Coordinates of all heavy atoms in Angstrom, one line a residue:
S1 N -21.5 40.6 59.8 CA -22.6 41.2 60.6 C -22.4 42.6 61.1 O -23.2 43.2 61.7 CB -22.9 40.3 61.8 OG -23.3 39.0 61.5
M2 N -21.1 43.1 60.7 CA -20.8 44.5 61.1 C -20.3 45.2 59.8 O -19.7 44.5 58.9 CB -19.6 44.5 62.0 CG -19.7 43.5 63.2 SD -20.9 43.9 64.3 CE -20.0 44.9 65.4
I3 N -20.7 46.4 59.7 CA -20.2 47.2 58.5 C -20.0 48.6 59.0 O -20.7 49.2 59.9 CB -21.3 47.2 57.4 CG1 -20.7 47.9 56.1 CG2 -22.6 47.8 57.8 CD1 -21.5 47.6 54.9
S4 N -19.0 49.2 58.4 CA -18.7 50.7 58.7 C -18.3 51.3 57.4 O -17.6 50.7 56.6 CB -17.7 50.8 59.8 OG -16.4 50.4 59.4
F5 N -18.6 52.6 57.3 CA -18.2 53.3 56.1 C -18.1 54.8 56.4 O -18.7 55.3 57.4 CB -19.1 53.0 54.9 CG -20.6 53.4 55.1 CD1 -21.1 54.6 54.8 CD2 -21.4 52.4 55.7 CE1 -22.4 54.9 55.0 CE2 -22.7 52.7 55.9 CZ -23.2 53.9 55.6
V6 N -17.4 55.5 55.5 CA -17.3 57.0 55.6 C -18.2 57.6 54.6 O -18.2 57.2 53.4 CB -15.9 57.5 55.4 CG1 -15.8 59.0 55.4 CG2 -15.0 56.9 56.5
R7 N -19.0 58.6 54.9 CA -19.9 59.3 54.0 C -19.4 60.7 53.9 O -19.4 61.4 54.9 CB -21.4 59.2 54.5 CG -22.4 59.9 53.6 CD -22.6 59.1 52.4 NE -23.7 59.8 51.7 CZ -23.9 59.6 50.4 NH1 -23.2 58.8 49.7 NH2 -24.9 60.3 49.8
R8 N -19.0 61.2 52.7 CA -18.5 62.5 52.6 C -19.5 63.4 51.9 O -20.3 63.0 51.1 CB -17.2 62.4 51.7 CG -16.1 61.7 52.4 CD -14.8 61.8 51.6 NE -13.7 61.0 52.2 CZ -13.0 61.3 53.2 NH1 -13.1 62.5 53.8 NH2 -12.0 60.5 53.7
A9 N -19.4 64.7 52.3 CA -20.2 65.8 51.7 C -19.4 66.2 50.4 O -18.4 65.7 50.0 CB -20.4 66.9 52.6
E10 N -20.0 67.3 49.8 CA -19.3 67.8 48.6 C -17.9 68.3 48.9 O -16.9 68.1 48.2 CB -20.1 69.0 48.1 CG -19.7 69.4 46.7 CD -20.7 70.4 46.1 OE1 -21.9 70.2 46.2 OE2 -20.2 71.4 45.5
D11 N -17.7 68.9 50.1 CA -16.4 69.2 50.6 C -15.9 67.9 51.3 O -16.4 67.5 52.3 CB -16.5 70.3 51.6 CG -15.1 70.7 52.3 OD1 -14.1 70.0 52.1 OD2 -15.1 71.7 53.0
P12 N -14.8 67.3 50.8 CA -14.3 66.0 51.4 C -13.9 66.1 52.8 O -13.7 65.1 53.5 CB -13.2 65.6 50.4 CG -12.8 66.8 49.7 CD -14.0 67.7 49.7
R13 N -13.6 67.3 53.3 CA -13.3 67.4 54.7 C -14.5 67.3 55.7 O -14.3 67.2 56.9 CB -12.5 68.8 55.0 CG -11.2 68.8 54.2 CD -10.6 70.2 54.3 NE -11.6 71.1 53.5 CZ -11.5 72.4 53.5 NH1 -10.5 73.0 54.1 NH2 -12.4 73.1 52.8
D14 N -15.7 67.4 55.1 CA -16.9 67.3 55.8 C -17.4 65.8 55.6 O -17.8 65.5 54.5 CB -17.9 68.3 55.3 CG -19.2 68.3 56.1 OD1 -19.3 67.7 57.2 OD2 -20.2 68.9 55.6
F15 N -17.4 65.0 56.7 CA -17.8 63.6 56.6 C -18.4 63.1 57.9 O -18.2 63.7 58.9 CB -16.6 62.8 56.1 CG -15.5 62.7 57.2 CD1 -15.5 61.7 58.1 CD2 -14.4 63.6 57.1 CE1 -14.4 61.6 59.1 CE2 -13.4 63.6 58.1 CZ -13.4 62.6 59.0
V16 N -19.0 62.0 57.8 CA -19.5 61.2 59.0 C -19.0 59.8 58.8 O -18.7 59.3 57.7 CB -21.0 61.3 59.1 CG1 -21.5 62.7 59.4 CG2 -21.7 60.7 58.0
V17 N -18.9 59.1 60.0 CA -18.6 57.7 60.0 C -19.8 57.0 60.5 O -20.4 57.3 61.5 CB -17.4 57.5 61.0 CG1 -17.1 56.0 61.1 CG2 -16.2 58.2 60.5
V18 N -20.2 56.0 59.7 CA -21.4 55.2 60.0 C -21.0 53.8 60.4 O -20.2 53.2 59.7 CB -22.4 55.1 58.8 CG1 -23.6 54.3 59.2 CG2 -22.8 56.5 58.4
A19 N -21.4 53.2 61.5 CA -21.1 51.9 61.9 C -22.4 51.2 62.3 O -23.3 51.7 63.0 CB -20.2 51.9 63.2
C20 N -22.5 50.0 61.7 CA -23.8 49.2 61.9 C -23.4 47.8 62.5 O -22.5 47.2 62.1 CB -24.4 48.9 60.6 SG -24.7 50.4 59.6
N21 N -24.2 47.4 63.5 CA -24.1 46.2 64.2 C -25.4 45.4 64.0 O -26.4 45.8 64.5 CB -23.8 46.3 65.7 CG -23.7 45.0 66.4 OD1 -23.7 44.0 65.9 ND2 -23.5 45.1 67.7
F22 N -25.3 44.4 63.2 CA -26.5 43.6 62.9 C -26.7 42.3 63.7 O -27.4 41.4 63.4 CB -26.6 43.2 61.4 CG -26.6 44.4 60.5 CD1 -25.5 44.8 59.7 CD2 -27.7 45.3 60.5 CE1 -25.6 45.9 58.8 CE2 -27.7 46.4 59.7 CZ -26.7 46.7 58.8
T23 N -25.9 42.3 64.8 CA -26.0 41.2 65.8 C -26.7 41.6 67.1 O -26.8 42.8 67.4 CB -24.6 40.6 66.1 OG1 -24.0 41.6 67.0 CG2 -23.8 40.4 64.9
P24 N -27.3 40.7 67.8 CA -27.9 41.1 69.1 C -26.9 41.2 70.3 O -27.3 41.2 71.4 CB -28.9 39.9 69.3 CG -28.2 38.7 68.7 CD -27.5 39.3 67.5
V25 N -25.6 41.4 70.0 CA -24.6 41.4 71.0 C -23.9 42.8 71.0 O -23.6 43.3 69.9 CB -23.5 40.3 70.7 CG1 -22.4 40.4 71.7 CG2 -24.2 38.9 70.6
V26 N -23.7 43.4 72.2 CA -23.0 44.6 72.3 C -21.5 44.4 72.0 O -20.9 43.4 72.4 CB -23.1 45.2 73.7 CG1 -22.2 46.5 73.9 CG2 -24.5 45.5 74.1
R27 N -20.9 45.2 71.2 CA -19.5 45.1 70.8 C -18.7 46.2 71.5 O -18.8 47.3 71.1 CB -19.3 45.2 69.3 CG -20.1 44.1 68.5 CD -19.6 42.7 68.8 NE -20.5 41.8 68.0 CZ -20.3 40.5 68.0 NH1 -19.3 40.0 68.7 NH2 -21.1 39.8 67.3
Q28 N -18.0 45.8 72.6 CA -17.2 46.8 73.3 C -15.8 46.9 72.7 O -15.2 45.9 72.3 CB -17.0 46.3 74.8 CG -18.3 46.2 75.5 CD -18.8 47.6 76.0 OE1 -18.1 48.6 75.9 NE2 -20.0 47.6 76.5
G29 N -15.2 48.1 72.6 CA -13.9 48.3 72.0 C -13.7 47.9 70.6 O -12.6 47.5 70.1
Y30 N -14.8 47.9 69.8 CA -14.8 47.6 68.4 C -14.0 48.6 67.6 O -14.4 49.8 67.7 CB -16.2 47.4 67.9 CG -16.2 46.7 66.5 CD1 -16.1 45.3 66.4 CD2 -16.3 47.4 65.4 CE1 -16.2 44.7 65.2 CE2 -16.4 46.8 64.1 CZ -16.3 45.4 64.1 OH -16.3 44.8 62.9
R31 N -12.9 48.2 66.9 CA -12.1 49.2 66.3 C -12.4 49.3 64.8 O -12.6 48.3 64.1 CB -10.6 48.8 66.4 CG -9.6 49.8 65.9 CD -8.2 49.5 66.3 NE -8.1 49.7 67.7 CZ -7.9 50.8 68.4 NH1 -7.8 51.9 67.8 NH2 -7.7 50.8 69.7
I32 N -12.6 50.6 64.3 CA -12.9 50.9 62.9 C -11.9 52.0 62.5 O -11.5 52.9 63.2 CB -14.3 51.3 62.7 CG1 -14.7 52.6 63.4 CG2 -15.3 50.2 63.0 CD1 -16.0 53.2 63.0
G33 N -11.5 51.9 61.2 CA -10.6 52.9 60.7 C -11.3 54.2 60.3 O -12.5 54.1 59.8
V34 N -10.7 55.3 60.5 CA -11.3 56.6 60.2 C -10.3 57.5 59.5 O -9.1 57.2 59.7 CB -11.9 57.3 61.5 CG1 -13.1 56.5 62.0 CG2 -10.8 57.5 62.5
P35 N -10.7 58.5 58.8 CA -9.8 59.4 58.0 C -8.8 60.2 58.9 O -7.7 60.6 58.4 CB -10.7 60.3 57.2 CG -12.0 59.6 57.2 CD -12.1 58.8 58.4
Q36 N -9.1 60.5 60.1 CA -8.2 61.4 60.9 C -8.4 61.2 62.4 O -9.5 60.7 62.8 CB -8.5 62.9 60.6 CG -9.9 63.4 60.9 CD -10.2 64.7 60.4 OE1 -9.9 65.0 59.2 NE2 -10.9 65.6 61.2
A37 N -7.4 61.5 63.1 CA -7.5 61.4 64.6 C -8.3 62.6 65.1 O -8.4 63.6 64.5 CB -6.1 61.4 65.2
G38 N -8.7 62.4 66.4 CA -9.5 63.5 67.0 C -10.8 63.0 67.7 O -11.0 61.8 67.7
F39 N -11.5 63.9 68.2 CA -12.8 63.6 68.8 C -13.9 63.5 67.8 O -14.1 64.3 67.0 CB -13.1 64.6 69.9 CG -14.3 64.2 70.7 CD1 -14.2 63.3 71.7 CD2 -15.6 64.8 70.5 CE1 -15.3 62.9 72.5 CE2 -16.7 64.4 71.3 CZ -16.5 63.5 72.3
Y40 N -14.7 62.4 67.9 CA -15.9 62.2 67.1 C -17.1 62.2 68.0 O -17.2 61.4 68.9 CB -15.8 60.8 66.4 CG -14.8 60.8 65.2 CD1 -13.4 60.9 65.4 CD2 -15.2 60.7 63.9 CE1 -12.5 60.9 64.4 CE2 -14.3 60.7 62.9 CZ -13.0 60.8 63.1 OH -12.1 60.8 62.1
R41 N -18.0 63.1 67.6 CA -19.3 63.2 68.4 C -20.3 62.2 67.8 O -20.5 62.1 66.6 CB -19.8 64.7 68.3 CG -20.9 65.0 69.1 CD -21.1 66.5 69.3 NE -19.9 67.2 69.7 CZ -19.4 67.2 70.9 NH1 -20.0 66.5 71.9 NH2 -18.3 67.9 71.2
E42 N -21.0 61.6 68.7 CA -22.0 60.7 68.3 C -23.3 61.5 68.0 O -23.9 62.1 68.9 CB -22.3 59.7 69.4 CG -23.3 58.6 69.0 CD -23.6 57.6 70.1 OE1 -24.3 57.9 71.0 OE2 -22.9 56.5 70.1
I43 N -23.6 61.6 66.7 CA -24.8 62.4 66.3 C -26.1 61.6 66.1 O -27.1 62.2 66.1 CB -24.5 63.3 65.1 CG1 -24.1 62.4 63.9 CG2 -23.3 64.2 65.4 CD1 -24.0 63.2 62.6
F44 N -25.9 60.3 66.0 CA -27.1 59.4 65.9 C -26.8 58.1 66.5 O -25.7 57.5 66.2 CB -27.6 59.3 64.5 CG -28.8 58.4 64.3 CD1 -30.0 58.7 64.7 CD2 -28.6 57.1 63.8 CE1 -31.1 57.9 64.6 CE2 -29.6 56.2 63.7 CZ -30.9 56.6 64.0
N45 N -27.7 57.5 67.2 CA -27.6 56.2 67.8 C -29.0 55.6 67.8 O -29.9 56.0 68.6 CB -27.0 56.2 69.2 CG -26.9 54.8 69.8 OD1 -27.4 53.9 69.3 ND2 -26.1 54.8 70.9
S46 N -29.2 54.6 66.9 CA -30.6 54.0 66.8 C -31.0 53.2 68.1 O -32.1 52.9 68.3 CB -30.7 53.1 65.6 OG -29.9 52.0 65.7
D47 N -30.0 53.0 69.0 CA -30.3 52.3 70.3 C -30.5 53.2 71.4 O -30.7 52.8 72.5 CB -29.1 51.3 70.6 CG -29.4 50.4 71.7 OD1 -30.4 49.7 71.6 OD2 -28.7 50.3 72.7
S48 N -30.6 54.5 71.1 CA -30.9 55.5 72.1 C -32.2 55.3 72.8 O -33.2 54.8 72.2 CB -30.9 56.9 71.5 OG -31.4 57.9 72.3
S49 N -32.3 55.7 74.1 CA -33.6 55.5 74.8 C -34.7 56.4 74.1 O -35.9 56.2 74.2 CB -33.5 55.9 76.2 OG -33.0 57.2 76.4
F50 N -34.2 57.4 73.4 CA -35.2 58.3 72.6 C -36.0 57.5 71.6 O -37.1 57.8 71.3 CB -34.4 59.4 71.9 CG -35.3 60.4 71.2 CD1 -36.0 61.4 71.8 CD2 -35.4 60.3 69.8 CE1 -36.8 62.3 71.2 CE2 -36.2 61.2 69.1 CZ -36.9 62.2 69.8
Y51 N -35.4 56.4 71.1 CA -36.0 55.5 70.2 C -36.5 54.2 70.8 O -36.6 53.2 70.2 CB -35.1 55.2 69.0 CG -34.6 56.4 68.3 CD1 -33.3 56.8 68.4 CD2 -35.5 57.2 67.6 CE1 -32.8 57.9 67.8 CE2 -35.0 58.4 67.0 CZ -33.6 58.7 67.1 OH -33.2 59.9 66.5
A52 N -36.6 54.2 72.1 CA -37.0 53.0 72.9 C -35.9 51.9 72.9 O -36.2 50.8 73.1 CB -38.3 52.5 72.5
G53 N -34.7 52.3 72.8 CA -33.6 51.4 72.8 C -33.0 51.2 74.2 O -33.5 51.8 75.2
S54 N -31.9 50.5 74.3 CA -31.3 50.2 75.6 C -30.2 51.3 76.0 O -29.7 51.2 77.1 CB -30.6 48.8 75.6 OG -29.6 48.8 74.6
N55 N -30.0 52.3 75.2 CA -29.2 53.4 75.5 C -27.7 53.0 75.6 O -26.9 53.7 76.4 CB -29.6 54.2 76.7 CG -29.5 55.7 76.5 OD1 -29.6 56.2 75.4 ND2 -29.4 56.4 77.6
V56 N -27.3 52.0 74.9 CA -25.8 51.6 74.9 C -25.2 52.5 73.8 O -25.8 52.6 72.7 CB -25.7 50.1 74.6 CG1 -24.2 49.8 74.3 CG2 -26.2 49.3 75.7
G57 N -24.0 53.0 74.0 CA -23.4 53.8 72.9 C -22.1 54.5 73.4 O -21.5 54.1 74.3
N58 N -21.9 55.6 72.8 CA -20.6 56.4 73.0 C -20.9 57.8 73.4 O -20.0 58.7 73.2 CB -19.8 56.3 71.7 CG -19.6 55.0 71.2 OD1 -18.7 54.3 71.7 ND2 -20.4 54.5 70.3
F59 N -22.1 58.1 73.9 CA -22.4 59.5 74.2 C -21.4 60.1 75.2 O -21.1 59.5 76.2 CB -23.8 59.6 74.8 CG -24.2 61.0 75.0 CD1 -24.7 61.8 73.9 CD2 -24.1 61.6 76.2 CE1 -25.0 63.1 74.1 CE2 -24.5 63.0 76.4 CZ -24.9 63.7 75.4
P60 N -20.9 61.3 75.0 CA -21.2 62.2 73.9 C -20.3 61.9 72.6 O -20.6 62.4 71.6 CB -20.8 63.6 74.4 CG -19.7 63.3 75.4 CD -20.0 62.0 76.0
G61 N -19.4 61.0 72.7 CA -18.5 60.6 71.6 C -17.3 59.9 72.0 O -17.3 59.4 73.2
C62 N -16.4 59.7 71.1 CA -15.1 59.0 71.4 C -14.0 59.6 70.6 O -14.2 60.3 69.6 CB -15.3 57.5 71.2 SG -16.0 57.0 69.7
S63 N -12.8 59.3 71.1 CA -11.6 59.8 70.4 C -10.9 58.8 69.5 O -10.8 57.6 69.9 CB -10.6 60.3 71.5 OG -11.1 61.4 72.2
A64 N -10.5 59.3 68.4 CA -9.8 58.4 67.4 C -8.3 58.7 67.6 O -7.8 59.8 67.7 CB -10.2 58.8 66.0
A65 N -7.5 57.6 67.7 CA -6.1 57.7 67.9 C -5.4 57.5 66.5 O -6.0 57.0 65.6 CB -5.6 56.6 68.8
K66 N -4.1 57.9 66.5 CA -3.3 57.7 65.3 C -2.8 56.3 65.2 O -1.6 56.0 65.2 CB -2.2 58.7 65.2 CG -2.6 60.1 65.0 CD -1.4 61.0 64.9 CE -1.9 62.5 64.8 NZ -0.8 63.4 64.7
V67 N -3.8 55.3 65.2 CA -3.5 53.9 65.1 C -4.2 53.5 63.8 O -5.4 53.5 63.7 CB -4.1 53.1 66.3 CG1 -3.9 51.6 66.1 CG2 -3.5 53.6 67.6
S68 N -3.4 53.2 62.7 CA -4.0 52.8 61.5 C -4.8 51.5 61.5 O -4.4 50.6 62.3 CB -2.9 52.7 60.4 OG -2.0 51.7 60.7
H69 N -5.9 51.5 60.8 CA -6.7 50.3 60.8 C -7.6 50.4 59.5 O -8.0 51.5 59.1 CB -7.6 50.3 62.0 CG -8.2 49.0 62.4 ND1 -7.5 47.9 62.7 CD2 -9.5 48.6 62.4 CE1 -8.3 46.9 63.0 NE2 -9.5 47.3 62.7
H70 N -7.9 49.2 58.9 CA -8.7 49.2 57.7 C -8.2 50.1 56.6 O -9.0 50.7 55.9 CB -10.2 49.5 58.0 CG -10.9 48.5 58.9 ND1 -11.6 48.9 59.9 CD2 -10.9 47.2 58.9 CE1 -12.1 47.9 60.5 NE2 -11.7 46.8 59.9
G71 N -6.9 50.3 56.5 CA -6.3 51.1 55.5 C -6.5 52.6 55.7 O -6.2 53.4 54.8
R72 N -6.9 53.0 56.9 CA -7.1 54.4 57.3 C -6.0 54.8 58.3 O -5.5 54.0 59.0 CB -8.4 54.6 57.9 CG -9.6 54.2 57.1 CD -10.2 55.4 56.4 NE -11.4 54.9 55.6 CZ -11.8 55.6 54.6 NH1 -11.2 56.7 54.3 NH2 -12.8 55.2 54.0
P73 N -5.6 56.1 58.3 CA -4.5 56.5 59.2 C -4.8 56.6 60.7 O -3.9 56.7 61.5 CB -4.2 57.9 58.7 CG -5.4 58.4 58.1 CD -6.1 57.2 57.5
A74 N -6.1 56.5 61.1 CA -6.5 56.6 62.5 C -7.6 55.6 62.7 O -8.2 55.0 61.8 CB -6.9 58.0 62.8
S75 N -8.0 55.4 64.0 CA -9.0 54.5 64.3 C -9.7 54.8 65.6 O -9.1 55.5 66.5 CB -8.5 53.0 64.3 OG -7.6 52.9 65.3
L76 N -11.0 54.4 65.7 CA -11.8 54.5 66.9 C -12.0 53.2 67.5 O -12.2 52.2 66.8 CB -13.2 55.0 66.5 CG -13.4 56.5 66.0 CD1 -14.8 56.6 65.4 CD2 -13.2 57.4 67.2
A77 N -11.9 53.1 68.8 CA -12.3 51.9 69.6 C -13.6 52.3 70.2 O -13.6 53.1 71.2 CB -11.2 51.5 70.6
M78 N -14.7 51.8 69.7 CA -16.0 52.3 70.2 C -16.8 51.1 70.7 O -16.5 50.0 70.5 CB -16.6 53.0 69.0 CG -16.8 52.1 67.8 SD -17.5 53.0 66.3 CE -19.0 53.6 66.9
T79 N -18.0 51.5 71.2 CA -19.0 50.6 71.6 C -20.1 50.6 70.6 O -20.6 51.6 70.3 CB -19.6 51.0 73.0 OG1 -18.6 51.0 74.0 CG2 -20.7 50.0 73.4
L80 N -20.4 49.4 70.1 CA -21.5 49.3 69.1 C -22.6 48.6 69.8 O -22.5 47.4 70.2 CB -21.0 48.5 67.9 CG -20.1 49.2 66.9 CD1 -19.7 48.3 65.8 CD2 -20.9 50.4 66.3
P81 N -23.8 49.3 69.9 CA -24.9 48.7 70.5 C -25.5 47.5 69.7 O -25.2 47.5 68.5 CB -26.0 49.8 70.6 CG -25.2 51.1 70.3 CD -24.0 50.6 69.5
P82 N -26.3 46.7 70.3 CA -26.9 45.6 69.5 C -27.9 46.0 68.5 O -28.6 47.0 68.8 CB -27.5 44.7 70.6 CG -27.8 45.6 71.7 CD -26.8 46.7 71.7
L83 N -27.9 45.4 67.3 CA -29.0 45.7 66.3 C -29.2 47.2 66.1 O -30.3 47.7 66.2 CB -30.3 45.0 66.7 CG -30.2 43.5 67.0 CD1 -31.5 43.0 67.6 CD2 -29.9 42.8 65.7
S84 N -28.1 47.8 65.8 CA -28.1 49.3 65.7 C -27.2 49.9 64.7 O -26.4 49.3 64.1 CB -27.7 49.9 67.1 OG -26.3 49.5 67.3
I85 N -27.5 51.2 64.5 CA -26.6 52.0 63.6 C -26.2 53.2 64.4 O -27.0 53.9 65.1 CB -27.4 52.5 62.4 CG1 -27.8 51.3 61.5 CG2 -26.6 53.5 61.6 CD1 -28.8 51.6 60.4
V86 N -24.9 53.5 64.4 CA -24.3 54.7 65.1 C -23.6 55.6 64.0 O -23.0 55.1 63.1 CB -23.3 54.2 66.1 CG1 -22.6 55.4 66.8 CG2 -24.0 53.4 67.2
V87 N -23.9 56.9 64.1 CA -23.2 57.8 63.2 C -22.4 58.8 64.1 O -22.9 59.4 65.0 CB -24.3 58.6 62.4 CG1 -23.6 59.6 61.5 CG2 -25.2 57.7 61.6
L88 N -21.1 59.0 63.7 CA -20.2 59.9 64.4 C -19.7 60.9 63.4 O -19.4 60.6 62.3 CB -19.1 59.1 65.0 CG -19.5 58.0 66.0 CD1 -19.0 56.7 65.6 CD2 -19.1 58.4 67.4
K89 N -19.5 62.1 63.9 CA -19.0 63.2 63.1 C -17.8 63.8 63.8 O -17.9 64.1 65.1 CB -20.0 64.3 62.9 CG -19.6 65.4 62.0 CD -20.8 66.3 61.6 CE -20.4 67.4 60.7 NZ -19.9 67.0 59.4
P90 N -16.7 64.1 63.1 CA -15.5 64.6 63.8 C -15.8 66.1 64.2 O -16.4 66.8 63.5 CB -14.4 64.5 62.8 CG -15.1 64.5 61.5 CD -16.4 63.8 61.7
D91 N -15.3 66.5 65.4 CA -15.3 67.9 65.8 C -14.1 68.6 65.1 O -13.0 68.1 65.2 CB -15.1 68.0 67.3 CG -16.4 67.8 68.1 OD1 -17.5 67.8 67.4 OD2 -16.3 67.8 69.3
L92 N -14.4 69.6 64.4 CA -13.3 70.3 63.7 C -12.9 71.6 64.4 O -13.6 72.2 65.1 CB -13.7 70.6 62.2 CG -14.0 69.4 61.4 CD1 -14.5 69.8 60.0 CD2 -12.8 68.5 61.2

C-alpha cells in the first residue's frame, strides 16, 4: 500500500523523490531510502489544504541522514499523509 521511487532528470544529479500512501492511515516516521543525505524540500503534497486535504505532511521539508535503507546510502524518516502523494526535492 506504500510505494516510493526516485525520478531523475537528464542530469542524474537533478532528481525528486516520490512517496505514495494508498492507505487511509497517517504514517509517522516512515523511512525511505534516498540517493544522498541533506535537506529535502516538500514541493508537492496532495493532502495539502490547498487541495482540500487535511494538511498533514512535512512542510517545509525534512532531512535525510546517512542511514542506508532500501539499498540507498541515505534515508528520510518522514510523515506520509493518508491517501496521498508527496514529492520532495533535495536542496543543492
Side-chain angles (χ1 to χ4, degrees):
S1 298
M2 315 292 268
I3 186 169
S4 66
F5 58 92
V6 174
R7 179 76 174 157
R8 295 187 185 275
E10 195 170 314
D11 177 353
R13 295 170 297 175
D14 184 14
F15 65 91
V16 295
V17 175
V18 180
C20 308
N21 179 3
F22 298 113
T23 72
V25 178
V26 175
R27 304 294 177 177
Q28 298 281 349
Y30 194 81
R31 187 166 295 277
I32 61 171
V34 294
Q36 65 191 42
F39 187 77
Y40 284 70
R41 188 161 310 283
E42 187 177 80
I43 61 172
F44 176 76
N45 179 346
S46 66
D47 193 53
S48 167
S49 59
F50 183 77
Y51 305 111
S54 60
N55 221 28
V56 172
N58 305 279
F59 185 80
C62 49
S63 293
K66 290 183 181 179
V67 175
S68 63
H69 198 67
H70 293 133
R72 303 257 183 207
S75 61
L76 288 166
M78 60 187 298
T79 299
L80 285 175
L83 303 170
S84 66
I85 297 172
V86 174
V87 180
L88 300 125
K89 184 170 180 64
D91 276 353
L92 299 177

